[in-house]
Amino acid sequence: MVPQIQIPDTPFISVVAGMLVVILAILLWRERRERRQAERSVAGYRSQIQTVTATMREGVIAYDMDRMLRFVNPAFERLTGYPEEDLRDQEFLQYIHPEDRPAILAEWDRLAQGLALRDQEYRVVTRTGQVRWCSSSWEPMRDESGRQIGYLGTEFDITERKVAEEEMRLDTELFQAVLEVEHAVTAAGLDSQTVMRVIAERSKGLTGASGAVIEAIEGEDVVPLIHVGTEAPRLKLSSSLSGLCVRTGELQRSDDTFSDSRIAHQAYRELGIRSLLVLPLKDEQRIHGVLKVVSPEPNAFTDRDAKALRLLGGLMGAALSHAAAFEGRQARLEERTHALQESEQRFKQLVDVAQEGIWVADDRGVITYVNQRMADFLGYSNGTLLGRPVYDFIEADSRSGAKHALSRRASRPGQSQDLRFRKRDGTQLWGLVSSSPILGKDGTLLGTVGMVTDITERKRAEEQLRRSADRLAMLHDMDQAIAAAQSPAEIGRAALGRMRRMVPCEQCSVVLFDFRTQEAQLIAGFAAGTQLQPTPVPLGELTSREALQSGAIRHIEDLAAADDLPPSQQQLAAEGVRTVLSVPLLVEGEAIGEITLASSTPSAFTAEHRDIALEVATPIAIAIQHAKLREELARQTAELERRVAERSAAVRAATAELETVLYSVSHDLRAPLRQLLGFSRLLLDESGPELDSSAQHYAERIYEAADRLTTLVDDLVNLSRIGRQDLLRREVNLTPLVEDIVGQFRDASNGRNIDWKIEELPIVEGDPGLLKIALTNLLSNAVKFTRPRDQATIWIRPVESEDQVGVAIEDNGVGFKMAYAGKLFGMFQRLHRADEFEGNGAGLAVVQRIVHKHGGRVWAEAEPGKGATFYLTLGGGEAGKHGSAGAVLKESAHETRAQ
């Protein structure tokens, strides 16, 4: 019987299908929501990383779970040379060297499983093609729920360390190669030809030369005994580098034989040899010959090649000596054995004087040999170290890494790492350690050779540099903040805010002292992150007046254990403070305040913290003092400006009154003077013959005095007019102006022989009329005081002084003593008698008044009997118009009254 299958009704199927669609839609909606949340988490993570890593020196890179680049910081861009946009276009981890990338990718599944990749070392190819070594650590990135959303890597540039390791590896290889050559020479037996051939071949291979020659000394020649890879001619000792090597007993090197002046033959040119190293093969007694390696290329050999040959020199010389001696009988064999022992001792001595510490350990890590440098590093004697595991002298936290590195049979030579050693006295020594395995012929590990370079000072310097850089950055930031601050309170807040980043403290404050009022003012402070308000504090609550004035640092490491505390520190102790450090603010040795730091931890402040506080205190003290000085200067400046304004007004009033009186007096004197002149002249003309000689002499004296007084009055009027006259400034070419004045003097020279020398003069800003008066007076003096000379010379030339230009008028007249130069420009001052030269001494005073009115200078230099030079320079403005006029007029009036 066939079973019956009942097919559900169509409506039921529709309902089921609809439910499935709804469920599917819900699942799709949930998946999209989770994806959007993941994208927002990645974006937030990226923002946080950008903020944190912007200033890091390490490179940071982040990928999402699909291995798509999400972020790189600036340090990573600098490391690779690629901007972020180019890195996004690259394949996953394309910046890693192709040879190193598979190893990283092979480990990537661990990251995908939420594990970390630490201390991954690989090469990075930069945008310019440069290869750099990096050490990286990779961590999984997670969102807030803990779900992994990507991978975050940190890259450290270790290129310099790798270069140092490579140098260490090469040195190790060199020692290993030397040991191999020694073993090869030993294995060659005692046949001299075999030994020399082994030496030549191994030296050729060790230095990468194209050929090697061993030469012996025969009379005045060097002759080849063995040559490998090159022809070897017979050479003269006197004209060859081999001869020089024999004479000096030192290795000789030629980077280009074609241009080497020490080589006086053509043999190398004929053989095409351009570079060579020549080493004496000697033992303790004599030189047996020379070893020469050659190359057809110039500059073919390096310092390392020369070093390798030097290391081999004594060994090979001894080997040749022993081989030659063994060609005798049994006695020579003993001699050879003794020489080999000496050679080994010299090799050990060479290792002992190396700058690196060197040890040899067996396959269990037990030390079988150490050089003296290694023993000195650890503070032990050589014998004490032998037989002990090398790990006993390595710090516990470095021991696992050291065992891992030193126990690897297949470790590459030259690999190195930084390890911390424990010295005998308990101190630590940082060493850069590289090791190489010692393998038997069957490949079994026989032991290791380790080399240690002391990098303790470098490590200490790196840490000190890091701390110093942080301190300098803080001080620089603080200096900028202080420079922008305007008041002492702002300076204190700016300094404390930055110092708290370097010195851990719960409370800090800046107070200023006022010893006159016996009060201190708290201008800035923080307590538990809250800013303190300015508060006056009695000085007695801080400590004694003498302690504050001494400017000493006060440091209490534990308030709970201290006795006789001042009130302020008693209050701090009650608040739970345990350590207090007070640093004075000193300006020129005087304490103006102090910075106080407080912590709830006993002995919280180290010597470095004290140094930081002292470094901060100095600029704070200076800045606060400057701020106080600025405030005082502003106050005094305002007061000074007020007083200057009052006095200036009084001076202007007095000057105006004096000029008015002087002008009136001079005009009032003119009428009586004209009468004296007129009547005395009439008396002399009409009644002169009738007068006796005494009366006639008196009348002439009256006339002369009246005439002189008239001239003086005219000069006073002119001087007064100059003081009141406004300057009409415009460009004045001094050359035509001087030539016009000189022309007038030529016309009135009365046949005098005057040689006028006029150079090209500058164009100045000034009043043409006043300048003409000043120059006329100066030139008039030059003409007058050269009158005794048969051949007078007057030289007018340009002059520049103190950023002003003008003229210099030099003559060969009678001159004057410079001791009287201060009287030259005084009103009515004369340096010569009236019967020698006419004049009343007003001309130079007028010159000085005009020059000062132009803001310039006038001065003179002279020597009696050799002439004088007057200098006149002009400034840019009417300097001291009122004050100078008043001073000159007062001086003139005083001298007039005196006469």
Side-chain angles (χ1 to χ4, degrees):
M1 182 176 181
V2 178
Q4 300 292 323
I5 299 174
Q6 185 176 3
I7 300 175
D9 295 339
T10 302
F12 177 76
I13 294 174
S14 301
V15 171
V16 171
M19 292 178 64
L20 291 174
V21 170
V22 171
I23 292 172
L24 180 60
I26 291 173
L27 291 175
L28 291 173
W29 173 80
R30 181 176 296 172
E31 182 179 355
R32 291 185 59 190
R33 185 182 65 176
E34 291 177 353
R35 181 176 294 275
R36 285 195 299 271
Q37 289 176 349
E39 290 176 351
R40 285 196 296 271
S41 298
V42 171
Y45 206 90
R46 172 187 174 91
S47 175
Q48 295 174 6
I49 292 176
Q50 285 177 333
T51 303
V52 173
T53 66
T55 59
M56 290 176 60
R57 293 183 297 177
E58 299 82 2
V60 180
I61 183 171
Y63 289 97
D64 61 16
M65 295 301 293
D66 296 328
R67 298 186 178 183
M68 299 299 293
L69 182 67
R70 288 301 182 186
F71 168 79
V72 295
N73 73 337
F76 189 87
E77 292 179 341
R78 292 192 298 270
L79 174 65
T80 63
Y82 290 101
E84 184 174 349
E85 295 75 13
D86 292 353
L87 290 169
R88 290 183 183 278
D89 295 337
Q90 294 182 358
E91 296 181 4
F92 179 60
L93 300 179
Q94 185 177 346
Y95 63 91
I96 298 178
H97 196 281
E99 297 178 2
D100 299 341
R101 198 180 307 147
I104 299 298
L105 293 174
E107 297 284 339
W108 202 261
D109 289 342
R110 295 176 57 194
L111 275 176
Q113 297 171 6
L115 301 176
L117 295 180
R118 304 295 176 86
D119 301 326
Q120 300 293 317
E121 293 187 1
Y122 46 74
R123 291 165 292 174
V124 170
V125 181
T126 68
R127 188 175 188 180
T128 61
Q130 182 184 12
V131 176
R132 301 192 69 81
W133 275 95
C134 290
S135 175
S136 70
S137 297
W138 290 87
E139 302 281 350
M141 291 193 302
R142 303 184 185 278
D143 59 13
E144 296 178 353
S145 65
R147 186 171 60 90
Q148 185 172 349
I149 60 174
Y151 317 98
L152 178 67
T154 305
E155 306 279 355
F156 298 85
D157 189 342
I158 60 171
T159 304
E160 292 184 1
R161 196 191 80 191
K162 285 293 183 180
V163 171
E165 292 174 354
E166 179 64 15
E167 291 291 332
M168 295 288 291
R169 183 188 68 80
L170 292 175
D171 286 343
T172 304
E173 289 180 350
L174 179 59
F175 283 118
Q176 188 74 27
V178 171
L179 290 174
E180 291 176 358
V181 173
E182 180 184 10
H183 294 156
V185 171
T186 304
L190 298 174
D191 179 68
S192 61
Q193 290 294 319
T194 304
V195 171
M196 286 189 289
R197 183 165 295 277
V198 169
I199 291 174
E201 291 176 349
R202 289 305 183 105
S203 300
K204 173 177 172 292
L206 185 62
T207 59
S210 62
V213 182
I214 293 181
E215 298 170 329
I217 305 168
E218 290 186 4
E220 298 298 322
D221 296 342
V222 286
V223 296
L225 299 178
I226 292 291
H227 53 92
V228 178
T230 183
E231 294 297 323
R234 187 183 185 104
L235 301 173
K236 291 290 185 182
L237 281 171
S238 59
S239 61
S240 65
L241 210 59
S242 298
L244 180 61
C245 176
V246 171
R247 291 193 297 273
T248 62
E250 300 292 338
L251 180 141
Q252 301 297 324
R253 173 177 173 179
S254 176
D255 292 327
D256 191 349
T257 60
F258 290 6
S259 59
D260 196 330
S261 61
R262 298 172 297 173
I263 301 174
H265 59 81
Q266 299 296 318
Y268 294 143
R269 185 180 296 272
E270 294 171 358
L271 295 174
I273 295 174
R274 297 293 297 271
S275 301
L276 58 85
L277 292 175
V278 186
L279 178 74
L281 299 176
K282 58 182 178 179
D283 58 15
E284 294 290 342
Q285 298 176 356
R286 65 189 182 90
I287 296 176
H288 298 279
V290 295
L291 168 66
K292 181 162 58 182
V293 292
V294 300
S295 173
E297 301 295 332
N299 300 300
F301 300 115
T302 65
D303 293 340
R304 189 175 296 277
D305 297 330
K307 180 180 179 182
L309 285 187
R310 285 193 181 95
L311 290 174
L312 291 173
L315 170 66
M316 293 186 294
L320 286 176
S321 175
H322 301 329
F326 183 73
E327 292 177 352
R329 293 180 180 242
Q330 186 64 30
R332 296 184 181 180
L333 176 60
E334 295 178 359
E335 183 180 351
R336 176 185 176 276
T337 303
H338 179 69
L340 282 174
Q341 292 174 348
E342 291 181 351
S343 176
E344 289 182 6
Q345 183 61 30
R346 287 197 297 272
F347 180 74
K348 288 183 178 180
Q349 290 175 352
L350 176 64
V351 174
D352 280 340
V353 299
Q355 293 300 311
E356 294 80 13
I358 300 174
W359 84 78
V360 179
D362 62 16
D363 57 342
R364 299 170 302 159
V366 176
I367 298 174
T368 59
Y369 168 78
V370 291
N371 69 345
Q372 187 60 44
R373 187 68 169 175
M374 187 69 192
D376 293 341
F377 279 168
L378 299 178
Y380 292 90
S381 63
N382 293 55
T384 308
L385 295 174
L386 298 179
R388 296 180 61 180
V390 68
Y391 311 112
D392 288 355
F393 306 101
I394 299 177
E395 286 286 3
D397 55 355
S398 297
R399 197 168 295 164
S400 59
K403 289 182 178 180
H404 180 65
L406 300 179
S407 64
R408 287 179 291 180
R409 293 177 62 249
S411 60
R412 286 181 294 176
Q415 283 188 331
S416 63
Q417 63 183 113
D418 297 346
L419 297 177
R420 284 188 298 124
F421 291 83
R422 173 66 62 177
K423 300 173 65 173
R424 185 176 186 178
D425 60 4
T427 59
Q428 291 181 346
L429 176 139
W430 273 99
L432 179 65
V433 179
S434 63
S435 64
S436 297
I438 302 175
L439 303 178
K441 291 183 178 181
D442 57 353
T444 58
L445 180 66
L446 301 179
T448 55
V449 175
M451 299 185 67
V452 181
T453 301
D454 186 356
I455 59 172
T456 306
E457 289 301 322
R458 192 193 79 188
K459 287 287 187 180
R460 189 176 294 125
E462 288 174 354
E463 179 63 20
Q464 185 64 31
L465 283 174
R466 183 190 64 77
R467 292 197 300 267
S468 297
D470 292 342
R471 287 165 63 176
L472 288 174
M474 184 270 291
L475 289 173
H476 177 70
D477 184 29
M478 187 189 70
D479 288 342
Q480 291 182 328
I482 287 176
Q486 298 296 320
S487 66
E490 292 180 5
I491 293 171
R493 288 193 295 270
L496 292 179
R498 285 151 181 84
M499 188 168 66
R500 290 162 62 202
R501 299 202 298 260
M502 297 294 294
V503 181
C505 60
E506 285 83 17
Q507 295 186 31
C508 55
S509 63
V510 177
V511 298
L512 299 182
F513 304 150
D514 189 341
F515 294 107
R516 183 179 56 83
T517 62
Q518 292 296 307
E519 191 173 70
Q521 180 69 33
L522 187 147
I523 63 171
F526 293 91
T530 303
Q531 183 172 312
L532 302 178
Q533 297 300 317
T535 308
V537 180
L539 282 180
E541 292 189 3
L542 300 179
T543 188
S544 66
R545 178 190 180 102
E546 292 76 16
L548 295 177
Q549 287 181 328
S550 69
I553 298 175
R554 305 195 311 281
H555 185 193
I556 301 178
E557 296 188 353
D558 192 352
L559 289 177
D563 298 327
D564 194 19
L565 296 174
S568 63
Q569 293 181 355
Q570 292 177 8
Q571 181 179 351
L572 290 175
E575 296 172 359
V577 172
R578 299 292 296 276
T579 305
V580 175
L581 173 63
S582 296
V583 178
L585 301 178
L586 300 176
V587 176
E588 296 181 354
E590 180 181 352
I592 64 168
E594 67 180 10
I595 300 174
T596 299
L597 307 176
S599 174
S600 59
T601 304
S603 303
F605 303 127
T606 64
E608 183 177 5
H609 295 151
R610 292 180 56 172
D611 292 342
I612 293 173
L614 286 171
E615 291 174 355
V616 171
T618 300
I620 291 178
I622 295 174
I624 290 176
Q625 187 70 2
H626 285 179
K628 294 168 67 177
L629 290 175
R630 283 196 299 272
E631 293 175 354
E632 178 65 18
L633 180 62
R635 185 188 66 78
Q636 293 186 3
T637 300
E639 175 65 18
L640 183 61
E641 288 177 350
R642 182 188 64 78
R643 295 170 62 185
V644 167
E646 293 176 353
R647 293 187 180 183
S648 297
V651 168
R652 286 195 296 271
T655 300
E657 180 180 356
L658 181 60
E659 289 181 349
T660 301
V661 171
L662 180 60
Y663 187 76
S664 299
V665 169
S666 62
H667 278 73
D668 291 344
L669 287 175
R670 288 183 181 272
L673 287 174
R674 284 197 296 270
Q675 292 178 2
L676 285 173
L677 283 172
F679 287 125
S680 60
R681 186 75 266 171
L682 286 174
L683 181 61
L684 289 171
D685 292 343
E686 296 180 1
S687 305
E690 302 175 0
L691 297 175
D692 58 22
S693 59
S694 298
Q696 190 173 10
H697 173 70
Y698 296 151
E700 288 176 352
R701 292 293 297 275
I702 292 172
Y703 180 81
E704 292 173 357
D707 184 59
R708 188 164 59 252
L709 185 57
T710 301
T711 303
L712 293 176
V713 170
D714 290 340
D715 290 336
L716 285 174
V717 172
N718 291 334
L719 188 62
S720 176
R721 185 182 298 115
I722 291 173
R724 295 193 308 273
Q725 180 177 340
D726 292 331
L727 283 179
L728 301 176
R729 283 189 176 273
R730 65 185 184 193
E731 283 192 355
V732 180
N733 190 337
L734 295 180
T735 301
L737 181 62
V738 168
E739 288 176 346
D740 180 54
I741 298 171
V742 169
Q744 296 176 14
F745 282 113
R746 281 197 180 104
D747 295 339
S749 62
N750 296 325
R752 284 187 58 194
N753 188 8
I754 301 177
D755 181 13
W756 296 90
K757 296 180 180 180
I758 305 174
E759 295 186 7
E760 188 68 24
L761 303 177
I763 298 174
V764 297
E765 289 281 338
D767 188 313
L770 293 179
L771 292 180
K772 185 173 183 180
I773 294 173
L775 292 171
T776 300
N777 284 348
L778 291 177
L779 291 172
S780 174
N781 277 357
V783 171
K784 177 169 58 177
F785 291 109
T786 57
R787 190 182 301 148
R789 302 289 183 251
D790 295 333
Q791 175 63 57
T793 300
I794 301 176
W795 180 20
I796 303 113
R797 53 184 170 85
V799 70
E800 182 176 354
S801 174
E802 298 180 0
D803 296 329
Q804 294 183 342
V805 297
V807 297
I809 300 174
E810 183 177 349
D811 62 59
N812 63 340
V814 297
F816 57 85
K817 294 182 180 180
M818 287 300 292
Y820 303 113
K823 297 181 177 181
L824 277 176
F825 300 99
M827 193 64 181
F828 305 128
Q829 291 291 329
R830 292 173 52 85
L831 301 184
H832 301 87
R833 299 196 308 274
D835 59 349
E836 292 179 331
F837 299 100
E838 68 278 6
N840 55 20
L844 291 180
V846 171
V847 171
Q848 186 184 58
R849 181 64 192 101
I850 293 173
V851 173
H852 285 178
K853 195 174 183 69
H854 283 78
R857 294 177 58 222
V858 61
W859 71 99
E861 298 173 355
E863 188 175 349
K866 296 185 178 180
T869 303
F870 283 82
Y871 300 90
L872 180 152
T873 60
L874 301 177
E878 189 175 350
K881 175 178 178 180
H882 300 290
S884 298
V888 173
L889 290 171
K890 287 178 181 178
E891 180 185 2
S892 303
H894 174 76
E895 291 172 352
T896 302
R897 287 194 299 271
Q899 291 181 6

